[in-house]
């Protein structure tokens, strides 16, 4: 047998040395390793997923939608080689030379090219008119937003099989929804503290080591969930300063988290998206936007990638989308709300923007202010108007936080004042063991302002809350009142 790559080079030795020497405890990999490369053109990508028989199947709405979404996600980074580049010409020359010396292979190759060239016309010939319009627009690279995937599939016709959805996997549902646990709620929210100091510090390093002294790096939970499922049901997209993780569990809810400054200082390998454990216990789908720089998500590559997800219909496949974050992440949650119109936003101590033109009075984050505040998503107060609900948690005594919150003036905004929480509103709720309840209410649509304030009442005995009350009494200049407060605090049970 002869194994040839795309340049007509014989690669059989490589497979003999690697692909057929796999250990017997790796089922399914014992005969060969097949390497698949993404097709750069849309037509090939589509046709490879619709069959190759004489009678091509009727394309179902779900199959076409999933195919387009997979193309947008997997074929996101492309390079135009151009017909005149030297390596392209050399490749064509080697292929022509090989085909000339192997006439039987050349004949088979010509037959395949001829068949494939007419396959799109044969596919379109008997599709629903709406499907044909979407297929044509996709192949030509035109936008498909606003086109409905809602045609009926005739009874008894050969149709495309159900698309391999990352959320329809039985393995995904069984393995990514953990058993019920009795862990206290605060353990589900790591790295909630988002201070305003030290945000340029170096990332943390893992705390354990192997016997030879090398650092031992444990896989983050999201990677373990993906790898142990038996089949992929999520993805990780890496960019120079940002990354995006996605774990699919249900179509009911997608929660999108945005990193805060505390997350930036974590070790870049072991880190998890904020709120990952909580969302996993709820059985909801989760997309985490990871930031490796304190740049307030002002990055053109990140913007292009998130817009490509929007254009592919990624967010539309969920019944409800909720974006959330704290401080820098709170800005992100509100700023990218326009990607999923009708979503819900939970922003804790958020900045509305750090644009010098719009918020030159906030000088707390010099690194963030040096970012490029031109282009899309620069003003979270404006972008969040397309959300159905925007929940803003803040301490009215923090002047800068209050001014940012006041910039959100849409009818969809609910301001939740958490007095004595300082800039650490999410941390206060977590320490009071109510952050999970707050997020659950917002995601499921049960949130009301009285309900949020009722949750916050559980935080009144926390040391940080009492310290805030004590500081306010001192600022009032009434020593007798401060003394009474001290006696009341001392009587509280620990």
């Amino acid at each position: 047998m002869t194994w040839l790559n795309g340049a007509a080079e014989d690669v059989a030795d490589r497979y003999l040395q690697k692909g057929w020497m796999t250990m017997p405890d790796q089922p399914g990999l014992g005969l060969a390793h097949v390497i698949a490369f993404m097709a750069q053109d849309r037509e090939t990508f589509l046709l490879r997923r619709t069959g190759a028989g004489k009678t091509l199947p009727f394309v179902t709405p779900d199959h076409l939608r999933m195919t387009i979404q997979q193309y947008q996600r997997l074929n996101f980074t492309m390079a135009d080689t151009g017909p005149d580049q030297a390596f392209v010409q050399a490749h064509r020359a080697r292929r022509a030379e090989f085909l000339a010396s192997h006439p039987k292979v050349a004949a088979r190759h010509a037959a395949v090219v001829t068949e494939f060239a007419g396959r799109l016309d044969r596919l379109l010939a008997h599709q629903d008119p709406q499907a044909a319009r979407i297929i044509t627009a996709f192949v030509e690279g035109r936008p498909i937003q606003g086109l409905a995937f809602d045609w009926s599939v005739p009874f008894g016709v050969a149709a495309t099989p159900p698309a391999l959805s990352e959320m329809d996997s039985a393995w995904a549902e069984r393995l990514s929804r953990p058993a019920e646990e009795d862990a206290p709620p605060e353990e589900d929210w790591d790295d909630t503290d988002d201070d305003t100091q030290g945000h340029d510090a170096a990332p943390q390093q893992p705390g354990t080591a192997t016997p030879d002294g090398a650092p031992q790096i444990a896989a983050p939970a999201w990677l373990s969930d993906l790898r142990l499922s038996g089949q992929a049901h999520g993805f990780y997209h890496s960019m120079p300063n940002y990354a995006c993780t996605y774990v699919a569990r249900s179509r009911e809810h997608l929660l999108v988290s945005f990193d805060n400054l505390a997350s930036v200082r974590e070790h870049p390998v072991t880190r998890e998206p904020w709120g990952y454990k909580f969302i996993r216990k709820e059985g909801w789908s989760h997309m985490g936007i990871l930031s490796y720089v304190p740049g307030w998500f002002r990055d053109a590559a990140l913007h292009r990638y998130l817009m490509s997800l929007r254009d592919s219909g990624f967010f539309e496949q969920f019944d409800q989308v909720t974006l959330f974050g704290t401080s820098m992440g709170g800005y992100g949650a509100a700023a990218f709300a326009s990607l999923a119109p009708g979503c819900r936003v939970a922003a804790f101590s958020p900045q509305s923007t750090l644009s010098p033109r719009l918020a030159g009075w906030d000088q707390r984050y010099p690194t963030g202010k040096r970012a490029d505040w031109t282009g899309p998503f620069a003003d979270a107060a404006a972008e969040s108007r397309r959300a159905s609900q925007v929940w803003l948690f803040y301490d009215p005594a923090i002047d800068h936080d209050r001014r940012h919150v006041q910039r959100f003036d849409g009818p969809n905004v609910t301001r939740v004042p958490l007095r004595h929480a300082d800039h650490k509103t999410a941390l206060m709720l977590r320490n009071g063991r109510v952050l999970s309840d707050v997020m659950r209410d917002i995601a499921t649509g049960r949130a009301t302002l009285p309900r949020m304030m009722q949750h916050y009442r559980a935080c009144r005995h926390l040391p940080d809350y009492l310290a805030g009350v004590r500081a306010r009494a001192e600022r009032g200049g009434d020593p007798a009142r401060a003394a009474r407060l001290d006696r009341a605090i001392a009587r509280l049970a620990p």
Side-chain angles (χ1 to χ4, degrees):
M1 175 181 292
T2 301
W3 288 72
L4 305 175
N5 63 12
E9 298 169 338
D10 191 339
V11 294
D13 287 343
R14 303 179 201 174
Y15 287 104
L16 287 173
Q17 293 173 8
K18 296 182 179 180
W20 296 336
M21 292 185 178
T22 307
M23 299 299 293
D25 60 349
Q26 297 182 0
L29 301 177
L31 296 179
H33 283 247
V34 178
I35 304 176
F37 296 92
M38 298 302 300
Q40 288 192 354
D41 66 282
R42 299 164 181 262
E43 180 178 344
T44 302
F45 190 89
L46 171 71
L47 293 177
R48 284 180 174 175
R49 284 155 178 77
T50 55
K54 293 183 178 180
T55 303
L56 296 179
F58 187 91
V59 178
T60 64
D62 285 344
H63 187 280
L64 183 56
R65 179 190 292 109
M66 188 63 62
T67 297
I68 293 174
Q69 289 173 355
Q70 288 174 341
Y71 179 87
Q72 295 283 3
R73 177 168 65 81
L74 299 176
N75 214 39
F76 178 71
T77 303
M78 296 184 295
D80 187 3
T81 57
D84 299 325
Q85 295 190 24
F87 79 92
V88 176
Q89 296 176 357
H91 162 75
R92 290 176 174 173
R94 288 194 301 269
R95 183 174 61 185
E97 180 182 355
F98 174 83
L99 292 177
S101 60
H102 295 77
K104 291 184 179 180
V105 175
R108 298 277 183 105
H109 175 73
V112 170
V113 170
T114 300
E115 191 279 333
F116 203 87
R119 192 181 297 179
L120 181 62
D121 292 336
R122 293 193 292 113
L123 178 71
L124 292 173
H126 63 284
Q127 300 301 321
D128 183 274
Q130 179 69 358
R133 283 193 291 270
I134 295 176
I135 291 173
T136 302
F138 169 67
V139 170
E140 294 177 355
R142 293 188 282 109
I144 59 173
Q145 286 182 280
L147 299 178
F149 292 76
D150 60 356
W151 56 92
S152 301
V153 180
F155 179 76
V157 303
T160 51
L164 179 58
S165 168
E166 295 161 344
M167 288 186 298
D168 291 334
S169 165
W171 277 92
E173 178 65 20
R174 184 165 64 252
L175 291 177
S176 54
R177 183 191 293 270
E180 292 296 326
E181 302 174 6
D182 296 325
E186 70 269 22
E187 294 185 357
D188 295 335
W189 294 90
D190 298 328
D191 306 302
T192 302
D193 186 2
D194 193 358
D195 59 11
T196 60
Q197 303 297 325
H199 48 272
D200 290 327
Q204 299 173 0
Q205 299 297 319
T208 59
T210 58
D212 61 359
Q216 181 177 353
I217 302 177
W222 62 265
L223 180 58
S224 298
D225 287 346
L226 295 181
R227 186 64 185 90
L228 297 176
S229 70
Q231 54 183 290
H233 59 283
F235 59 79
Y236 176 87
H237 181 80
S238 178
M239 291 159 278
N241 295 319
Y242 297 89
C244 178
T245 68
Y246 169 63
V247 179
R249 298 189 184 96
S250 74
R251 294 185 185 274
E252 182 183 10
H253 289 288
L254 170 68
L255 270 69
V256 184
S257 63
F258 292 81
D259 271 358
N260 54 32
L261 290 180
S263 302
V264 171
R265 297 193 299 272
E266 287 182 34
H267 188 272
V269 176
T270 59
R271 65 192 298 180
E272 297 174 0
W274 189 48
Y276 184 83
K277 294 182 179 66
F278 162 73
I279 299 171
R280 179 173 61 178
K281 288 177 67 175
E282 296 298 318
W284 296 336
S285 296
H286 184 192
M287 172 175 286
I289 310 302
L290 306 179
S291 176
Y292 301 108
V293 294
W296 264 254
F297 310 101
R298 304 301 305 153
D299 184 271
L302 174 65
H303 297 170
R304 286 194 300 268
Y305 180 65
L306 293 178
M307 287 189 289
S308 76
L309 292 178
R310 175 201 63 193
D311 296 343
S312 72
F314 175 82
F315 299 105
E316 297 176 359
Q317 62 189 316
F318 300 95
D319 296 340
Q320 182 61 51
V321 178
T322 302
L323 295 80
F324 68 100
T326 177
S327 193
M328 182 179 80
Y331 155 77
F336 294 98
S338 60
L339 294 172
C343 67
R344 298 178 180 131
V345 172
F348 302 89
S349 304
Q351 295 82 52
S352 60
T353 182
L354 291 183
S355 166
R357 180 177 61 86
L358 300 174
W361 37 264
D362 191 345
Q363 299 295 325
R364 295 176 296 178
Y365 309 100
T367 307
K369 292 189 73 67
R370 287 196 296 267
D372 182 3
W373 288 92
T374 61
F377 311 113
D379 186 0
E383 296 288 342
S384 63
R385 292 193 180 105
R386 302 195 65 185
S388 62
Q389 298 176 359
V390 179
W391 295 87
L392 304 177
F393 298 80
Y394 70 109
D395 184 343
I398 307 302
D399 180 66
H400 291 86
D401 288 358
R402 185 185 70 255
R403 293 181 69 175
H404 278 297
V405 167
Q406 288 173 343
R407 294 195 67 247
F408 293 84
D409 56 1
N412 57 348
V413 172
T414 302
R415 300 167 182 169
V416 186
L418 304 185
R419 298 187 182 277
H420 313 302
D422 200 74
H423 186 68
K424 303 176 181 180
T425 51
L427 179 63
M428 185 76 80
L429 294 170
R430 187 201 73 168
N431 290 344
R433 300 188 180 184
V434 294
L435 182 55
S436 293
D437 295 330
V438 167
M439 283 302 306
R440 191 180 296 109
D441 284 349
I442 292 175
T444 57
R446 296 196 299 264
T448 62
L449 182 56
R451 192 177 178 96
M452 296 294 101
M453 301 311 299
Q454 182 64 33
H455 287 317
Y456 191 50
R457 288 178 62 85
C459 302
R460 291 180 301 164
H461 292 173
L462 293 177
D464 286 345
Y465 183 93
L466 295 175
V469 176
R470 182 68 174 78
R472 182 178 180 184
E474 288 182 345
R475 290 193 299 269
D478 186 349
R481 182 182 181 187
R484 290 195 303 271
L485 179 62
D486 287 340
R487 290 192 295 271
I489 292 176
R491 289 194 297 268
L492 291 175

